[in-house]
Amino acid sequence: MSAETVLVVNPMSAAGRTGRRLAELEALARDVCGPGVVVPTTSGGGHGRELAREAAEAGAGRLLAVGGDGTASEVVDG
């Protein structure tokens, strides 16, 4: 997952509203950060940690968590 900016997104956050607005979030991220944006979504507990670790190891310049406290915690841990 090599990209300048990686948004690790929990699509179930905000009662699923985040997942329903994923295309909008992705477009906004590209407008703000440029075309080098990758937006992986989590599929369960601990997956955000794994995605964040992969992004960091691949040299991501920016790593952002989109979700709630659990998503943020996992991304920081990763």
Side-chain angles (χ1 to χ4, degrees):
M1 170 187 335
S2 178
E4 177 60 29
T5 302
V6 177
L7 272 69
V8 175
V9 177
N10 176 352
M12 300 309 294
S13 66
R17 287 191 305 273
T18 304
R20 290 190 296 274
R21 297 183 68 187
L22 190 55
E24 181 183 346
L25 290 169
E26 200 167 335
L28 178 60
R30 285 198 170 84
D31 286 346
V32 172
C33 300
V37 174
V38 173
V39 185
T41 58
T42 61
S43 61
H47 194 211
R49 184 178 304 108
E50 179 182 327
L51 293 171
R53 185 175 300 120
E54 288 173 7
E57 288 173 353
R62 288 182 211 98
L63 182 56
L64 306 169
V66 181
D69 292 348
T71 304
S73 178
E74 285 189 12
V75 169
V76 169
D77 288 345

